[in-house]
């Protein structure tokens, strides 16, 4: 997937004025947040589990080489194969070689953010293979020729009418407008693909070093069909997704669904270990795991190690006011929201994603809901500091910061300008708000600016305390 994070500002302006996108985001926003809150309230030990998960992840990362070697040995003992990929190019080559060796014509895919990260679909299609996304959300955006806009709900930016239009254009027949009918239509189309598939590719929510198993969670069962009906099953996963034991996996599973979709558990939790055995009724003839580094080792050795605790639940973006306003496509690459604003600059380079660490109010909601307690605001501040150190801050921004520093270090001047600004904004307001404001059209184009009281906070505070 081509990175377009340099276009964040332009894409954000477009997103804010896109009526369909705003409708879709509005419907989804409170569903994720409200359902998570209910699940958390019903689990008194939730905060204890968060702390335990954070500590377990830290232990894993401190001993990652040990657990990866244990995992590889267990996969091999179960009849599978582990492949190590240093970067996206090497990962694509490994998977292409497997597919070509078995003369694959049709490849079905479960949801995998790593496959998006390495640009796998494009590579398979360029080599003459039919690639079919089987997750409903991924299938919808595949028809629309768009990347995911959310890591757990790829088509959250689409309205029902837009999905109806896509299905009518792709499948023909009478246009369906009800959700159950649309789901059944997709199910009928995809079912034939499962049986035709030569290779099935899934992600791996967790990789268990103890048993050599991969674990995926879904709500549709598409992952099970993808990995059991094809002759070859390929798991794509980042190296940080390994856990020591099945007991450790259950700790993270208790947090994952509650944080992601507001469910007690996902509908399907599937554990796969090696290829089909003689006594098995179904399963693949070959089982491969492609472990992708792609910058993770560098994170592990540096100040962003905590980012590798991420279990890809999406809670940070569900609670992010910036993501809620502009959606995922504005971020310009695979990972949107707060976690993407950290990962994208680290994987693709700070100069390719300058705006992302700055597209944050540092309100802290993301850190407060993260199931593994990643201090996302701190990491975003660190990226901003690195931008300053590398001298890649835009010239006009540098000049504005110099002016700000000059004023802020002179309290009398600062308070005088504050007073002028507060009185001016209060004077031009109508009915308590400002509809248009010079130099702030990016704000007032889509919302009103609440008017200040006419006096500064310091004046109001001192007045309340009877001080001059």
């Amino acid at each position: 997937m081509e990175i377009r994070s340099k276009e964040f500002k332009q894409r954000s302006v477009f997103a804010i004025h896109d009526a369909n996108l705003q409708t879709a985001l509005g419907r989804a926003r409170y569903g994720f947040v409200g359902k998570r809150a209910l699940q958390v309230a019903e689990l008194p030990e939730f905060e204890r589990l968060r702390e335990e998960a954070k500590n377990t992840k830290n232990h894993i990362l401190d001993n990652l080489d040990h657990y990866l070697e244990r995992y590889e040995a267990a996969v091999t003992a179960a009849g599978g194969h582990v492949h190590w990929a240093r970067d996206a190019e090497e990962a694509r080559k490994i998977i292409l070689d497997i597919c070509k060796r078995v003369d694959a014509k049709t490849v079905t895919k479960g949801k995998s953010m790593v496959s998006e990260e390495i640009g796998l679909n494009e590579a398979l299609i360029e080599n003459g293979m039919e690639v079919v996304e089987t997750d409903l959300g991924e299938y919808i955006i595949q028809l629309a020729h768009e990347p995911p806009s959310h890591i757990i709900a790829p088509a959250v930016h689409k309205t029902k009418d837009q999905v109806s239009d896509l299905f009518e254009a792709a499948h023909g027949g009478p246009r369906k407008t009800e959700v159950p009918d649309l789901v059944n239509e997709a199910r009928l189309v995809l079912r034939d693909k499962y049986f035709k598939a030569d290779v099935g590719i899934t992600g791996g929510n967790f990789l268990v070093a103890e048993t050599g198993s991969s674990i995926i969670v879904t709500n549709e069962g598409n992952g099970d069909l993808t990995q059991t009906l094809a002759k070859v099953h390929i798991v794509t996963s980042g190296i940080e997704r390994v856990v020591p034991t099945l007991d450790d996996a259950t700790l993270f599973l208790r947090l994952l669904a509650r944080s992601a979709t507001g469910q007690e558990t996902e509908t399907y939790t599937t554990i796969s270990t090696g290829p089909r055995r003689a006594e098995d009724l179904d399963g693949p003839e070959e089982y491969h795991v492609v472990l992708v580094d792609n910058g993770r080792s560098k994170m592990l050795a540096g100040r962003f190690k905590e980012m590798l605790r991420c279990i890809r639940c999406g809670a940070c973006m569900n609670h992010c006011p910036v993501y809620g306003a502009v959606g995922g496509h504005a971020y310009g690459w695979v990972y949107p929201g707060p976690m993407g604003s950290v990962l994208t600059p680290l994987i693709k380079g700070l100069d390719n994603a300058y705006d992302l660490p700055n597209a944050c109010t540092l309100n802290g909601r993301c850190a407060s809901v993260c199931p593994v307690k990643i201090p996302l605001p701190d990491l975003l501040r660190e990226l901003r500091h690195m931008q300053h150190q590398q001298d890649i801050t835009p010239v006009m921004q540098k000049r504005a910061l110099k002016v700000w520093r000059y004023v802020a270090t002179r309290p009398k001047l600062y308070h005088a300008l504050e007073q002028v600004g507060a009185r001016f904004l209060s004077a031009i307001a109508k009915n308590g708000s400002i509809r248009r404001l010079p130099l702030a059209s990016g704000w007032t184009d889509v919302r009103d600016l609440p008017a200040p009281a006419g006096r500064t906070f310091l004046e109001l505070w001192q007045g309340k305390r009877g001080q001059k």
Side-chain angles (χ1 to χ4, degrees):
M1 177 181 170
E2 179 186 1
I3 182 170
R4 302 181 67 180
S5 298
K6 287 184 177 181
E7 304 169 10
F8 177 80
K9 290 181 179 177
Q10 302 95 304
R11 292 162 77 90
S12 294
V13 171
F14 178 83
I16 289 170
H17 291 87
D18 185 333
N20 282 327
L21 175 61
Q22 293 303 314
T23 298
L25 289 174
R27 288 173 179 168
R29 186 180 305 132
Y30 301 106
F32 284 131
V33 173
K35 289 178 181 177
R36 177 194 176 276
L38 288 173
Q39 286 295 331
V40 170
E42 292 177 0
L43 188 67
E45 65 268 33
F46 188 80
E47 288 304 315
R48 178 180 62 78
L49 293 176
R50 287 181 72 209
E51 184 66 20
E52 187 178 343
K54 182 190 83 170
N55 294 334
T56 301
K57 267 289 187 180
N58 286 342
H59 167 76
I60 294 168
L61 295 173
D62 287 341
N63 301 276
L64 188 59
D65 54 348
H66 167 70
Y67 288 116
L68 286 172
E69 288 173 356
R70 278 188 59 192
Y71 175 72
E72 180 183 32
V75 171
T76 303
H81 307 273
V82 173
H83 310 263
W84 303 85
R86 285 168 291 192
D87 52 30
E89 182 179 359
E90 193 167 343
R92 289 194 301 269
K93 183 179 184 304
I94 290 168
I95 296 169
L96 278 171
D97 287 346
I98 295 171
C99 291
K100 288 177 179 178
R101 180 175 54 78
V102 299
D103 194 26
K105 299 292 190 299
T106 301
V107 177
T108 50
K109 288 181 71 260
K111 184 144 61 65
S112 166
M113 296 310 298
V114 167
S115 74
E116 298 283 349
E117 180 184 324
I118 65 176
L120 180 59
N121 283 16
E122 296 84 349
L124 295 173
I125 292 169
E126 286 173 6
N127 282 268
M129 299 172 209
E130 179 189 19
V131 178
V132 183
E133 295 285 357
T134 63
D135 173 86
L136 181 57
E138 292 281 358
Y139 179 66
I140 290 168
I141 62 170
Q142 184 180 30
L143 294 180
H145 304 288
E146 295 176 358
S149 64
H150 194 292
I151 64 171
I152 63 164
V156 70
H157 60 289
K158 291 293 187 188
T159 64
K160 184 175 65 173
D161 286 340
Q162 288 177 312
V163 175
S164 295
D165 292 340
L166 286 169
F167 279 20
E168 183 182 22
H171 306 151
R175 184 176 187 272
K176 297 177 177 63
T177 58
E178 297 302 318
V179 172
D181 295 332
L182 292 168
V183 172
N184 285 333
E185 183 174 328
R187 181 181 290 119
L188 290 173
V189 172
L190 292 172
R191 185 162 293 276
D192 182 55
K193 303 295 184 181
Y194 291 122
F195 291 104
K196 287 176 57 179
D198 304 295
V199 173
I201 300 175
T202 67
N205 291 96
F206 304 103
L207 308 174
V208 185
E210 175 185 44
T211 60
S213 307
S214 61
I215 300 177
I216 61 170
V217 294
T218 67
N219 277 323
E220 302 165 22
N222 62 297
D224 294 19
L225 295 172
T226 297
Q227 64 188 29
T228 57
L229 294 180
K231 294 179 181 178
V232 178
H233 177 204
I234 302 175
V235 178
T236 58
S237 180
I239 57 173
E240 78 282 10
R241 306 312 292 273
V242 67
V243 297
T245 67
L246 285 169
D247 284 341
D248 294 310
T250 61
L251 165 64
F252 293 107
L253 288 170
R254 293 185 73 190
L255 291 165
L256 179 58
R258 289 177 168 91
S259 300
T261 53
Q263 296 170 269
E264 185 174 350
T265 182
E266 304 288 4
T267 307
Y268 298 91
T269 299
T270 306
I271 303 174
S272 301
T273 310
R276 178 178 182 172
R277 289 164 284 272
E279 65 273 17
D280 290 341
L281 297 177
D282 54 26
E285 297 172 8
E286 296 182 24
Y287 178 81
H288 299 265
V289 182
V290 181
L291 293 173
V292 180
D293 188 317
N294 205 31
R296 289 163 173 81
S297 291
K298 186 176 180 181
M299 279 185 251
L300 185 67
R303 65 192 81 175
F304 295 97
K305 179 179 179 179
E306 291 172 301
M307 193 63 226
L308 294 176
R309 293 206 298 259
C310 180
I311 60 173
R312 303 297 193 269
C313 67
C316 61
M317 60 194 70
N318 293 341
H319 291 76
C320 175
V322 177
Y323 177 91
V326 302
H329 287 162
Y331 291 82
W333 199 52
V334 175
Y335 301 113
M339 52 92 77
S341 294
V342 176
L343 283 173
T344 302
L346 294 176
I347 295 174
K348 306 302 286 187
L350 269 174
D351 55 335
N352 287 317
Y354 177 84
D355 288 319
L356 299 193
N358 300 287
C360 176
T361 66
L362 299 179
N363 60 82
R365 291 187 78 193
C366 51
S368 70
V369 299
C370 176
V372 287
K373 293 190 171 183
I374 299 172
L376 287 159
D378 295 342
L379 300 183
L380 290 167
R381 272 192 293 265
E382 183 62 30
L383 285 170
R384 294 180 187 184
H385 182 58
M386 289 172 59
Q387 289 173 337
H388 178 73
Q389 287 182 315
Q390 294 178 21
D391 196 27
I392 59 176
T393 305
V395 174
M396 291 304 295
Q397 188 172 327
K398 287 182 184 177
R399 291 174 180 171
L401 287 171
K402 285 181 179 179
V403 172
W404 165 255
R405 181 176 63 185
Y406 180 86
V407 173
T409 54
R410 290 161 175 80
K412 288 184 179 180
L413 176 60
Y414 180 87
H415 292 309
L417 292 175
E418 259 193 322
Q419 290 170 352
V420 171
R423 286 157 176 73
F424 171 73
L425 292 175
S426 180
I428 66 172
K430 293 181 180 180
N431 300 319
S433 62
I434 300 169
R435 300 295 301 275
R436 292 286 182 271
L437 184 65
L439 304 179
S441 60
W443 179 280
T444 55
D445 272 356
V446 292
R447 63 179 76 80
D448 293 344
L449 179 69
R455 291 192 295 166
T456 67
F457 172 80
L458 186 60
E459 289 177 304
L460 292 169
W461 176 253
Q462 290 176 335
K464 186 175 182 180
R465 299 183 66 182
Q467 299 175 346
K468 184 176 178 181

